[in-house]
């Protein structure tokens, strides 16, 4: 389990290789290129535009070195200070964005990403959506709460629900739509739990409330598993009945040796 996602720590470290190289190699322009690449992969416009701004600042710093070269003047001192400041600020931004960057990459493995203005805008759009859930928005919200809620038991319940829902969606999309109607309240439970967790209060009211919500989520996960299990059972019964009819048809047409049944 990773620090920011449900992927492995090794996966997260491999995705942040560019960030680590930017820190280790003392060349300020690298961080803007790394940020541009990360923003393009995760399709975040604000970060993509910010990377261009930082790249323009780097160009100005390099011009300053060229303009003030040959003498240790006040201008050269200011350029050196700007050089160091750009390194600190740029790599600081990369580290600050690392968590959301990893979460967007993990989400990309579940559903295709579309360009968004910012991470905050995407979260507001997903969490404020009032109309009927779609499969993508439902998974997106569950993954958001999986990455923000700190309770490990809640995280495991969410992972279980996501796995079951994806299995259900692969088998029967119509049944998956009905699933959203029956179990869409799970998102409201998670939203309420996240709100309680964010209060950072530890009194009896908040503790009891979180315990009740955790119990509701555990029961919901069990109910969803039963839902999916029943669907698989009914599908197997249908296939079994269809197979028997098929075998009998072959026998009636003398296309199947009856000795094979023995």
């Amino acid at each position: 389990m990773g620090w920011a996602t449900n992927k492995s720590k090794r996966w997260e470290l491999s995705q942040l290789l560019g960030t680590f190289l930017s820190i280790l190699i003392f060349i300020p322009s690298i961080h803007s290129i790394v940020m541009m690449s990360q923003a393009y992969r995760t399709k975040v416009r604000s970060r993509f535009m910010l990377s261009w701004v930082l790249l323009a600042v780097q160009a100005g710093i390099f011009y300053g070195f060229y303009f003030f070269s040959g003498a240790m003047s006040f201008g050269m001192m200011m350029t050196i200070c700007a050089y160091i400041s750009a390194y600190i600020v740029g790599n600081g931004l990369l580290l600050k964005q690392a968590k959301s960057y990893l979460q967007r990459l993990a989400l990309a493995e579940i559903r295709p990403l579309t360009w968004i203005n910012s991470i905050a805008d995407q979260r507001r759009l997903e969490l404020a959506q009032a109309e009927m859930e779609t499969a993508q928005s439902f998974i997106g919200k569950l993954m958001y709460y999986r990455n923000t809620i700190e309770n490990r038991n809640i995280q495991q319940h969410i992972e279980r629900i996501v796995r079951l829902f994806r299995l259900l969606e692969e088998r029967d999309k119509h049944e998956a739509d009905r699933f959203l109607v029956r179990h869409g309240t799970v998102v409201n439970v998670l939203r309420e739990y996240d709100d309680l967790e964010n209060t950072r209060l530890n009194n009896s009211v908040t503790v009891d409330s979180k315990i009740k919500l955790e119990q509701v989520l555990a029961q919901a996960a069990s109910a969803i598993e039963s839902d999916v299990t029943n669907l698989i059972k009914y599908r197997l019964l249908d296939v079994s009945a269809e197979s028997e009819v098929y075998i009998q048809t072959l026998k009636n047409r003398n296309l199947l040796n009856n000795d094979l049944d023995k």
Side-chain angles (χ1 to χ4, degrees):
M1 193 62 59
W3 294 284
T5 69
N6 60 346
K7 310 286 286 185
S8 67
K9 291 184 175 67
R10 184 176 181 179
W11 179 87
E12 292 185 347
L13 291 173
S14 67
Q15 300 302 324
L16 293 175
L17 181 60
T19 299
F20 299 142
L21 288 176
S22 178
I23 295 173
L24 294 174
I25 302 175
F26 195 69
I27 303 177
S29 59
I30 290 183
H31 71 258
S32 57
I33 297 174
V34 172
M35 185 181 298
M36 190 180 299
S37 173
Q38 292 182 355
Y40 183 80
R41 290 184 66 189
T42 55
K43 301 186 183 304
V44 182
R45 289 192 187 92
S46 60
R47 293 181 181 177
F48 192 71
M49 296 302 296
L50 177 60
S51 67
W52 279 103
V53 172
L54 294 176
L55 192 59
V57 171
Q58 303 309 313
I61 292 174
F62 289 137
Y63 177 76
F65 280 117
Y66 170 77
F67 185 81
F68 296 110
S69 62
M72 184 55 71
S73 62
F74 177 75
M76 177 60 75
M77 292 296 296
M78 293 300 295
T79 303
I80 293 174
C81 289
Y83 184 93
I84 297 173
S85 298
Y87 170 85
I88 296 173
V89 172
N91 288 293
L93 287 172
L94 284 178
L95 290 174
K96 183 179 179 181
Q97 296 171 359
K99 181 178 180 179
S100 56
Y101 166 67
L102 292 172
Q103 290 172 356
R104 287 282 290 176
L105 283 183
L107 185 59
E109 296 186 0
I110 299 176
R111 61 180 174 86
L113 297 179
T114 57
W115 281 95
I116 59 175
N117 291 327
S118 67
I119 297 296
D121 286 345
Q122 176 66 10
R123 288 170 177 171
R124 282 195 294 268
L125 286 173
E126 289 182 347
L127 298 180
Q129 185 179 6
E131 61 270 17
M132 182 179 176
E133 293 280 12
T134 64
Q136 287 190 353
S137 66
F138 182 70
I139 292 294
K141 292 177 181 180
L142 291 183
M143 291 304 296
Y144 167 76
Y145 288 119
R146 161 63 183 79
N147 293 324
T148 56
I149 291 177
E150 299 174 358
N151 187 315
R152 181 57 189 151
N153 291 331
I154 297 291
Q155 293 175 359
Q156 291 177 341
H157 293 323
I158 294 174
E159 291 167 6
R160 182 181 174 193
I161 292 172
V162 169
R163 176 176 55 81
L164 290 169
F165 179 74
R166 293 182 66 186
L167 176 64
L168 182 62
E169 188 181 20
E170 290 173 0
R171 288 178 171 270
D172 191 331
K173 290 189 178 296
H174 294 295
E175 186 63 28
D177 291 336
R178 290 192 286 270
F179 173 99
L180 293 176
V181 175
R182 290 194 297 270
H183 302 295
T185 305
V186 167
V187 173
N188 296 331
V189 174
L190 291 171
R191 181 185 296 117
E192 186 64 29
Y193 190 95
D194 186 48
D195 289 341
L196 287 173
E197 206 171 57
N198 288 334
T199 63
R200 301 297 178 186
L201 296 176
N202 198 30
N203 54 47
S204 59
V205 174
T206 56
V207 171
D208 290 344
S209 298
K210 287 195 287 188
I211 291 175
K212 290 179 181 178
L213 290 174
E214 184 176 344
Q215 292 173 346
V216 169
L217 195 61
Q219 293 171 350
S222 297
I224 291 168
E225 183 171 332
S226 298
D227 214 354
V228 175
T229 300
N230 288 334
L231 175 65
I232 293 174
K233 181 176 68 176
Y234 294 143
R235 289 287 295 274
L236 289 175
L237 289 174
D238 289 341
V239 171
S240 178
E242 183 180 349
S243 299
E244 290 178 3
V245 172
Y246 173 65
I247 295 298
Q248 188 61 47
T249 301
L250 293 178
K251 289 180 180 179
N252 294 340
R253 295 183 178 182
N254 294 322
L255 297 175
L256 185 66
N257 188 347
N258 291 330
D259 293 338
L260 296 177
D261 296 335
K262 299 179 181 180

